[in-house]
Amino acid sequence: MNQTSSTYKISRTTYHVVSTAETGKTETLEKKIERLIKKEIRETMEKQQFSAE
């Protein structure tokens, strides 16, 4: 296994991403970051919807 870590700052949020590459996996670091950001946005929107009710 090969492990890589990267830090990305987007607006006021800093993302520390750890990626472990295994044989047969196809997700790139960029795709992982995109997936994590989308997940965070989705969770934030859900929290906002519940607080508005």
Side-chain angles (χ1 to χ4, degrees):
M1 271 193 260
N2 184 14
Q3 188 172 8
T4 304
S5 67
S6 299
T7 303
Y8 295 89
K9 185 168 177 90
I10 301 173
S11 296
R12 296 180 294 175
T13 305
T14 301
Y15 297 90
H16 182 74
V17 180
V18 177
S19 176
T20 303
E22 296 179 21
T23 306
K25 301 296 180 183
T26 59
E27 185 177 47
T28 64
L29 185 57
E30 291 80 14
K31 289 289 183 184
K32 181 174 184 173
I33 293 168
E34 181 180 338
R35 179 174 51 82
L36 292 172
I37 291 171
K38 286 180 180 179
K39 178 182 175 187
E40 183 174 326
I41 291 169
R42 189 169 45 250
E43 290 173 354
T44 302
M45 290 178 67
E46 289 173 0
K47 288 178 187 176
Q48 288 176 352
Q49 286 178 349
F50 286 118
S51 66
E53 295 177 352

